[in-house]
Amino acid sequence: QVQLVESGGGSVQAGGSLRLSCGASGYTYGHKCMGWFRQAPGKEREGVAVISTYGGTTYYADSVKGRFTISQDNAKNTVYLQMDSLKPEDTAMYFCAAEIVAWCGSSWSREARYKYWGQGTQVTVSS
């Protein structure tokens, strides 16, 4: 079992920055695909960015490329999402997700493949 705890959400004006953190506990020894999804009111949950903890390969949604950066600290079993140049359309509940697998791969944004989820942290961007 893997437990995920997110932190770092909040409210910010457009153009501002936030950094989300996701700490993993429990089964932390295996390689994982770990990262972030988000869900805005009335919309489906969508993949934002993930990282393969073995090797550090990163994957991003087109809507956040060049603005968001995902990174990891393996010693702390933590994944970070640095969000810059935030836009009102980034407003959503952000969820950390993890799957015990060696590589994220091309299907990284498929929600159903992730077994472990955090409870979410709210990000609100005002114009």
Side-chain angles (χ1 to χ4, degrees):
Q1 290 289 331
V2 177
Q3 292 80 43
L4 303 174
V5 178
E6 305 104 330
S7 62
S11 297
V12 66
Q13 289 191 327
S17 298
L18 285 172
R19 189 174 86 151
L20 306 182
S21 300
C22 176
S25 61
Y27 181 80
T28 59
Y29 301 103
H31 302 309
K32 291 182 285 295
C33 175
M34 192 166 164
W36 299 90
F37 283 68
R38 67 186 181 187
Q39 187 168 22
K43 294 188 177 181
E44 294 185 352
R45 194 176 298 188
E46 62 174 357
V48 176
V50 299
I51 186 167
S52 297
T53 61
Y54 178 69
T57 302
T58 57
Y59 304 78
Y60 294 94
D62 288 342
S63 60
V64 306
K65 282 181 181 177
R67 300 188 299 121
F68 291 10
T69 303
I70 190 168
S71 61
Q72 63 177 338
D73 184 334
N74 285 337
K76 296 182 179 179
N77 296 309
T78 299
V79 170
Y80 304 96
L81 185 68
Q82 177 66 41
M83 305 186 294
D84 298 318
S85 302
L86 282 161
K87 303 175 181 180
E89 50 262 45
D90 295 316
T91 295
M93 184 71 78
Y94 283 70
F95 297 90
C96 183
E99 178 192 13
I100 298 174
V101 69
W103 305 100
C104 294
S106 59
S107 65
W108 67 271
S109 62
R110 189 162 62 88
E111 179 184 350
R113 55 176 283 187
Y114 294 86
K115 182 176 180 179
Y116 305 104
W117 292 86
Q119 293 191 334
T121 185
Q122 178 67 37
V123 171
T124 302
V125 184
S126 58
S127 57

